[in-house]
Amino acid sequence: MEHYYQPEIECASQEQIRQWQSQRLVQTVHRVYENVPYYREKMKAKGVEPGDIKSAEDLRFLPFLTKDDLRDAYPYGLMAAPLSDCVRIQSTSGTTGRRVVAFYTQHDLDLWEDCCARAIMAAGGTKEDVVHVCYGYGLFTGGPGLNGGSHRVGSLTLPMSSGNTDRQIQFMCDLGSTILCCTPSYAAYLAETICERGLRDQIKLKAGIFGAEAWSEEMRQDIQDKLGIKAYDIYGLTEISGPGVSFECSEQTGMHINEDHFIAEIIDPNTGEVLPEGSKGELVFTSITKEAFPLLRYRTRDICVLTRKPCSCGRTHVKMSKPMGRSDDMLIVKGVNVFPSQIETVLLNKGYPANYQIVVSRENNSDRLEVLVEMTPEMFSDSVSLINQKERELIEALKSMLGIYAAVKLVAPKSIARSEGKAVRIIDNRKLY
Ligand code: DLL
């Protein structure tokens, strides 16, 4: 096997993995305590000293970090290395309050690319492959992560970025792309278009590495059948580096977490209690090898299950299931993270009452976001052109807040059903989980 299948690491014994984790955790906790006043205060508030953490078993004594901490410490407050040692920033979409900004030293980039290289190798990638990357490039981690991983494997890398489907398909045919990397919804759209145009015989794809959003087994089957490939899932989040935190192997029954870099826990999202292996709960990550932005016990809000059942591929790193939902209200629409609170802020700023409903659907393999907004009796009007103009204003304001298009429909006062319990703000018709 090539350089980036690392059996001595990926197939190490449980004892060896635990030993690496313990040693690296202890070092990271000391470094974070010394260099990150924000986290030091959190540890002090919990009565924990760095010396209390002697092995990975002691992880549970450390305080959690959440997206709220990231917001409070924005932008530099969680950095553990001087800015002058950093060479890259990546970020999620969203406005300042919800935007995640992650920092990388060269060492951090190297490790991240290693993780993505492992994912490509697990999908059968070698230096003979042509890796077609149509995740977005720029601040989003998808493009840069898989691009770097593909270089490490030594594959010929096509940095296509997203969009321009005609050009994607033309390059795929002309240059003989063999591994496709993009979101599953874009893969499904490409697959459909390729079949419609009768080009299936002209593509050489053998595998796809699809992630950044939830996708069902039915969708996997559909993409595999249409493109004649094997479709692999890949998971990650900007806070913890980006794609490649975990990835699927040939067994396609969950994603191996790169345990030499990240310690995973499953907790009860309500109590924070650590749950035993096999339980369904919220995934928490601790990064143990990062220099610039190491997060300890970061609550991902992704709900899943971990398993250490032996895998036919020989890898011993723990596997996570596909995320089965979220413990917060974040939606991922067209790969962009959307919080209902962002939509609410726009509505309130524009003088609308906070009675709204977000409807997400999937049409022709593309997500559609629609916001139904109640008018106040004073706003209500019979003039269609006036209503259309108000809708256009809201579409603009939402676009600048979310970074994506949302259709807006103004509805009559009191026409959105009131609920006796929690308001039903989100109707997600995509059936992803
Ligand atoms: O989506 C990183 C990524 C890029 C992963 C390319 C895979 C491929 P964020 O934009 O920070 O980072 O969004 C992270 O996306 O907490 C999950 O809720 C969701 N997510 C990521 N991968 C998957 C997946 C990138 N395979 C958030 N299945 C995470 C389901 C996923 N959800």
Side-chain angles (χ1 to χ4, degrees), residues 117-305:
R118 286 182 191 171
I120 294 172
M121 300 279 314
T126 70
K127 64 191 286 298
E128 308 305 326
D129 279 295
V130 180
V131 176
H132 188 115
V133 184
C134 40
Y135 286 113
Y137 279 64
L139 285 172
F140 179 56
T141 54
L146 270 306
N147 191 93
S150 170
H151 276 223
R152 281 192 180 243
V153 175
S155 311
L156 178 60
T157 311
L158 298 186
M160 300 297 298
S161 199
S162 48
N164 201 339
T165 302
D166 288 345
R167 191 177 59 183
Q168 301 279 2
I169 295 176
Q170 191 178 353
F171 268 67
M172 220 176 265
C173 294
D174 293 352
L175 300 174
S177 308
T178 52
I179 299 184
L180 176 65
C181 305
C182 60
T183 58
S185 36
Y186 194 52
Y189 179 67
L190 280 172
E192 204 171 87
T193 313
I194 287 167
C195 288
E196 272 167 18
R197 294 185 188 172
L199 294 172
R200 164 87 192 261
D201 291 346
Q202 292 187 41
I203 58 159
K204 296 207 174 67
L205 288 178
K206 65 175 190 189
I209 304 178
F210 308 134
E213 62 182 3
W215 52 309
S216 60
E217 281 305 321
E218 291 72 38
M219 194 162 169
R220 186 204 305 260
Q221 207 50 57
D222 184 52
I223 298 171
Q224 294 192 145
D225 292 347
K226 287 210 171 91
L227 290 178
I229 62 170
K230 200 156 169 171
Y232 298 82
D233 204 348
I234 182 167
Y235 168 92
L237 57 167
T238 313
E239 296 90 315
I240 302 297
S241 64
V245 171
S246 65
F247 58 85
E248 263 185 348
C249 61
S250 51
E251 214 183 71
Q252 294 177 305
T253 55
M255 295 174 271
H256 290 284
I257 295 173
N258 282 305
E259 285 196 281
D260 50 329
H261 298 301
F262 313 107
I263 307 180
E265 299 170 277
I266 291 287
I267 63 161
D268 178 327
N270 299 314
T271 63
E273 182 201 350
V274 180
L275 301 177
E277 189 200 315
S279 314
K280 183 170 162 184
E282 183 182 331
L283 184 60
V284 173
F285 279 117
T286 298
S287 48
I288 48 174
T289 47
K290 279 168 65 176
E291 290 180 344
F293 201 64
L295 298 187
L296 302 176
R297 299 198 89 197
Y298 182 69
R299 292 185 60 165
T300 64
R301 302 289 174 187
D302 290 318
I303 301 291
C304 56
V305 175

Side-chain angles (χ1 to χ4, degrees), residues 18-70:
R18 221 47 188 165
Q19 198 181 325
W20 284 325
Q21 291 188 331
S22 292
Q23 186 201 354
R24 292 171 185 181
L25 175 68
V26 169
Q27 282 169 0
T28 304
V29 169
H30 276 88
R31 235 166 35 77
V32 167
Y33 192 86
E34 277 155 31
N35 297 317
V36 186
Y38 186 93
Y39 200 74
R40 179 161 67 231
E41 290 313 312
K42 283 195 84 110
M43 281 176 67
K44 280 187 179 160
K46 212 171 176 239
V48 192
E49 297 277 327
D52 297 335
I53 310 300
K54 298 189 181 66
S55 76
E57 307 312 315
D58 299 328
L59 188 60
R60 64 187 188 284
F61 299 130
L62 291 171
F64 291 116
L65 274 174
T66 64
K67 248 198 173 74
D68 284 343
D69 289 304
L70 262 56

